[in-house]
Amino acid sequence: MSSKTSALASFVESAPPGELTNVTSAIKTITGDNSLQSLAPAFQKYNEEQFTTVKLPGGSQSVIISSHNSLGDGRYYDVESQSSFAFDHSTQKASDVQSHVLESSQGDLVKSLLKSLSTHAQEHYPSSSLGVYPTFDDTSIAVVFVANKYSPNNFWNGRWRSQYIFAPSSGTLIGSIKVDVHYYEDGNVRLITSKPVSLSVSGGSAAEVTRQIAAAERMYQEELNRAFGSLSEGAFKGLRRQLPVTRQKIDWEKVGGYRLGQDIGGGRSR
Amino acid sequence: MASADPFDSALDLLRRLNPKDTAANVQRLCSLAPSLTEDLLESVDVPLTIKRDTKTGRDFLCCDYNRDGDSWRSPWSNEFFPAIDDGEGVVPSERVRKMEVKAGEAFDVYRELYFEGGISSVYFWDVDDGFAGCVLLKKSASPSSKSAASWDSIHVFEALDRARTARYKLTSTVILNLGTDAENLGNMDLSGNMVRQVEQDLPVENDGSHVTNIGKMVEDMEGKMRNLLQEVYFGKAKDVVGDLRSIASLSEAKRDKATHQEMINSMSRS
């Protein structure tokens, strides 16, 4: 990869939720290159890692793009609608829908997980998309989940992603939860979080897997809310006071007179 | 929607990409489009770097305004580090340097009172009809091995002399980076920058008035920005997470709302 391509790929990779189009059009203007052919792998990586959602032609539900439901050659499949489709990574559009029946020894568990997880999702996520797929070796099940909320008119966008691999034979459920929030009115502020999850599920029913995922995600959100509070009260306060200890603003006419205290108190850099 | 101007597009891109990578992204943009280099270095604020003034033994902050080639002027000794090979670098006129020294002392007191640590540097330079300058403040803290916090203030102003008054134009940027890592929370990074501008006409009796006026304006602005940062970092970002995922059950919330509405309706009927 040339250094130019890797620089542009890094821009694509760090595009905030819902702003890939803006990032792409800025890149086009800066480089004067309207095709951006060399960025095809970067767009694919972005879509698969960010769980980009797309509406199939004629369909109403959004389906997820991820490495777990990739069929290769730019095609992906959806369990619920029993279809496969071609996906254009640079325009994020789906086409050429074909029938695709899931052939897996985990088929029943996949379907019951889809059902119980989507009931849970509707209870806690105002807008989300879910995918459940057998892994390629058909020994485990991959769960991918994304909730987006875009409000570009108010200069913010957000994304919650979780993904898990459930191994029915051992009962292990391993995955991660990631949150990405961008706020850009009069500035550029970004929240990026990542939390590994490792659980063990007894029994291995879809209901139990869902219960464990729901508990882990709830606990994580509560933990994150506490972290906002402790960062505000701790690290933030420790950087700059709201007012000096005297609780008064500085008298700039007499600021020379403050020097005595300052000389005693130090303040010279080491 | 795409802006036709590459410089505007570069600024738009930097406003969207992860603010933690701004310095690296400016470098990438400069190598992609060398003609933008000067404008980007002048108008994009990145975290301040620290240099040692070996003559006075004090640290000072570096930005584009005290840079001459690969050397930076110290506000404490008025000398460049490393020394400039061929002759001398540009220094302010005698009158402006006098004000610079006075402001540098005053903001060192300000730094101690508000930041209780950190480094400050003030640079003034001559412009037609007056002078201009920047006030830089930086504080970093690592409350524990698993967390880091830093605050960089970059206040750039222009003071245009009028009869008995001066017109001040102030542009302030605060770069605030907070990161924390803990067992239950996982990794959380909350970083970014916010920018504000203000213009004011203030009375001027002598050169001392300028230091007083600039001091008041910067103190006022930084206080407002601290409140704004608190609101965006710990209020807005948390709210967006709450918009993505609701801790309370959405169907219960909906039912409660419907019950509430019913009560209101029955009361208004009676």
Side-chain angles (χ1 to χ4, degrees):
Chain A
M1 209 192 294
S2 75
S3 69
K4 180 184 162 185
T5 305
S6 74
L8 297 176
S10 78
F11 295 163
V12 169
E13 197 173 332
S14 80
E19 295 174 49
L20 183 63
T21 316
N22 308 87
V23 167
T24 307
S25 69
I27 291 174
K28 283 179 181 169
T29 310
I30 294 161
T31 58
D33 174 359
N34 260 318
S35 69
L36 299 180
Q37 291 267 312
S38 62
L39 286 181
F43 287 127
Q44 177 173 348
K45 188 169 178 233
Y46 177 91
N47 291 320
E48 290 188 352
E49 286 185 355
Q50 297 293 325
F51 305 151
T52 294
T53 55
V54 62
K55 277 202 172 81
L56 301 187
S60 58
Q61 293 278 78
S62 287
V63 303
I64 281 184
I65 302 298
S66 80
S67 61
H68 298 292
N69 60 327
S70 167
L71 297 169
D73 292 330
R75 291 191 69 86
Y76 297 82
Y77 73 92
D78 176 49
V79 175
E80 199 138 34
S81 61
Q82 301 199 336
S83 50
S84 76
F85 55 92
F87 184 73
D88 183 324
H89 285 285
S90 60
T91 60
Q92 298 190 323
K93 293 252 177 353
S95 63
D96 189 19
V97 180
Q98 292 172 12
S99 160
H100 182 92
V101 178
L102 183 66
E103 279 175 38
S104 162
S105 59
Q106 316 274 4
D108 288 344
L109 186 52
V110 165
K111 280 171 193 142
S112 46
L113 270 171
L114 264 177
K115 212 172 156 197
S116 63
L117 281 167
S118 71
T119 307
H120 155 68
Q122 280 163 17
E123 274 297 294
H124 293 280
Y125 298 86
S127 160
S128 65
S129 299
L130 170 72
V132 181
Y133 318 100
T135 55
F136 290 109
D137 60 7
D138 207 25
T139 61
S140 302
I141 291 173
V143 173
V144 298
F145 175 83
V146 64
N148 294 311
K149 181 114 196 241
Y150 304 150
S151 191
N153 291 336
N154 298 306
F155 301 99
W156 62 261
N157 295 305
R159 173 170 298 154
W160 172 299
R161 274 179 295 161
S162 7
Q163 73 171 319
Y164 308 92
I165 302 285
F166 175 58
S169 58
S170 61
T172 56
L173 181 69
I174 292 170
S176 64
I177 305 172
K178 292 177 178 174
V179 174
D180 188 341
V181 172
H182 185 217
Y183 179 91
Y184 51 111
E185 185 169 25
D186 296 327
N188 178 3
V189 177
R190 190 89 172 256
L191 167 73
I192 294 182
T193 78
S194 173
K195 155 80 178 159
V197 176
S198 178
L199 300 162
S200 101
V201 182
S202 56
S205 70
E208 183 58 17
V209 172
T210 301
R211 204 185 62 78
Q212 293 260 10
I213 288 178
E217 296 190 348
R218 179 197 180 98
M219 225 151 60
Y220 178 61
Q221 190 179 4
E222 287 170 347
E223 197 66 47
L224 196 55
N225 282 348
R226 273 195 290 278
F228 281 113
S230 62
L231 275 179
S232 168
E233 290 303 307
F236 181 63
K237 269 195 176 167
L239 286 172
R240 187 192 183 277
R241 304 180 61 92
Q242 195 161 20
L243 278 174
V245 189
T246 56
R247 294 182 172 273
Q248 280 170 351
K249 283 194 165 187
I250 289 172
D251 184 346
W252 290 90
E253 312 273 353
K254 295 180 187 149
V255 73
Y258 288 72
R259 294 217 58 223
L260 196 63
Q262 186 243 344
D263 285 343
I264 294 166
R268 299 266 156 168
S269 60
R270 297 124 320 263
Chain B
M1 228 168 81
S3 160
D5 181 49
F7 179 61
D8 287 344
S9 293
L11 292 182
D12 183 65
L13 195 59
L14 291 168
R15 191 172 66 123
R16 295 182 188 279
L17 300 182
N18 191 344
K20 253 196 135 174
D21 302 331
T22 298
N25 286 335
V26 167
Q27 291 307 317
R28 288 183 180 120
L29 284 167
C30 290
S31 53
L32 284 170
S35 61
L36 303 179
T37 303
E38 206 173 308
D39 285 341
L40 282 176
L41 292 181
E42 206 170 277
S43 45
V44 179
D45 291 315
V46 296
L48 301 160
T49 52
I50 303 165
K51 271 211 164 347
R52 172 59 61 95
D53 177 338
T54 49
K55 201 173 173 197
T56 61
R58 297 185 72 173
D59 288 341
F60 65 96
L61 297 170
C62 305
C63 67
D64 208 44
Y65 297 107
N66 65 326
R67 184 176 67 91
D68 194 325
D70 295 321
S71 295
W72 282 267
R73 182 170 68 89
S74 160
W76 315 122
S77 64
N78 204 21
E79 288 184 17
F80 282 85
F81 297 91
I84 291 175
D85 292 337
D86 44 354
E88 286 167 23
V90 182
V91 295
S93 66
E94 199 179 323
R95 173 195 162 224
V96 168
R97 169 65 185 160
K98 256 189 192 154
M99 286 192 285
E100 179 186 81
V101 169
K102 223 175 153 208
E105 285 169 1
F107 275 103
D108 203 33
V109 174
Y110 173 91
R111 174 196 56 70
E112 190 55 32
L113 291 174
Y114 278 99
F115 291 85
E116 299 175 323
I119 301 174
S120 65
S121 295
V122 178
Y123 302 103
F124 283 10
W125 58 93
D126 296 81
V127 297
D128 296 339
D129 305 324
F131 69 101
C134 65
V135 176
L136 310 176
L137 294 143
K138 185 185 185 77
K139 185 174 175 191
S140 305
S142 312
S144 75
S145 63
K146 295 247 174 171
S147 64
S150 67
W151 175 300
D152 291 73
S153 294
I154 301 158
H155 303 277
V156 183
F157 68 87
E158 206 177 38
L160 301 175
D161 287 320
R162 306 258 170 94
R164 292 175 198 220
T165 65
R167 160 148 288 209
Y168 300 92
K169 289 183 194 174
L170 174 67
T171 302
S172 298
T173 303
V174 176
I175 303 170
L176 173 64
N177 293 344
L178 301 167
T180 178
D181 205 338
E183 177 71 33
N184 290 336
L185 176 68
N187 191 277
M188 174 181 186
D189 192 87
L190 187 49
S191 297
N193 56 72
M194 303 211 71
V195 186
R196 277 290 159 103
Q197 286 182 314
V198 69
E199 273 188 46
Q200 241 179 314
D201 288 309
L202 294 168
V204 174
E205 276 173 37
N206 52 44
D207 281 352
S209 311
H210 282 303
V211 176
T212 305
N213 291 342
I214 293 157
K216 281 181 185 159
M217 279 182 80
V218 166
E219 183 179 26
D220 208 38
M221 178 69 118
E222 220 177 66
K224 281 183 185 149
M225 291 189 78
R226 188 186 182 280
N227 292 340
L228 180 69
L229 289 162
Q230 178 140 30
E231 221 176 280
V232 169
Y233 276 60
F234 311 113
K236 191 70 212 172
K238 186 180 161 185
D239 288 349
V240 174
V241 177
D243 282 337
L244 293 170
R245 185 185 190 283
S246 161
I247 289 184
S249 146
L250 289 170
S251 63
E252 268 173 40
K254 223 176 177 174
R255 265 200 307 275
D256 288 351
K257 209 176 159 192
T259 316
H260 186 72
Q261 189 58 45
E262 222 168 89
M263 265 172 62
I264 292 173
N265 291 349
S266 67
M267 277 161 75
S268 63
R269 273 198 301 271
S270 60

